[in-house]
Amino acid sequence: GAQAEFGRPAPLPQTGWERLSELWRRDELQQYPEETVNIAKSAFTAGVVGWLYGGLPAFVSARKAFIERSHGELFQNRADAVQSAHRAGLRSFIRYGWRWSWRVTAFATIFNVVSTGLSAYRDKTTISNFAAAGAFTGALFRMHLGLQGLAGGIVFGTAFGIPAGALLMAVYGLAGETLQEKRTRERRELYEQKLAEWQSRLSVTEVLGQTENNAQGRPEMERAREL
């Protein structure tokens, strides 16, 4: 405890692996870095979008197909017929929505993890990071189709990553700095603040030590004079 309180602050990460490992560590407030939180948020958003993308058309199609098939069926009343059509659509919404949801979530999460990791490792954010992340993710999703599928996945992923990266770079340009630059700046400012506090405590400790030594030396000098 004393070492953590009075020791010199830990230096800023110098290597790519050190910066990469910081993405998965909590800070003093037990909070994860903003990049890591954004990965989780984007995964949730991708899941919702994927579910709606796959579920809504399936809902409409299943409801329409049920109505076309049930012209000769008997229902207790109109409400019963409407509810039966809605239940058929809801089953398709859940089934096909889930199929699209987990795929879109997995794609977005892998893409963001790789692009964020490359930006942290290289200590800079460029479109090439997003292109590489897209190529890797696309290849990973299509590698089970063989060499041709792998090549197609790389092309598709790269074609997705470049415009996505360009859009994010444009947003960062409007903000004035990228998330990596913001994190580097905040980390440097926090380190300088901790270093200044440590130097202040160190100077106070030295003054107290010198005062204590002087206080201990006075009685010895008085006894020496008496002798």
Side-chain angles (χ1 to χ4, degrees), residues 39-51 97-112 137 141:
I39 291 175
K41 290 181 179 179
S42 64
F44 176 78
T45 303
V48 174
V49 171
W51 202 303
W98 165 248
R99 287 184 179 181
W100 275 96
S101 179
W102 78 262
R103 287 179 171 86
V104 175
T105 300
F107 187 94
T109 302
I110 296 173
F111 174 82
N112 286 325
T137 308
F141 267 72

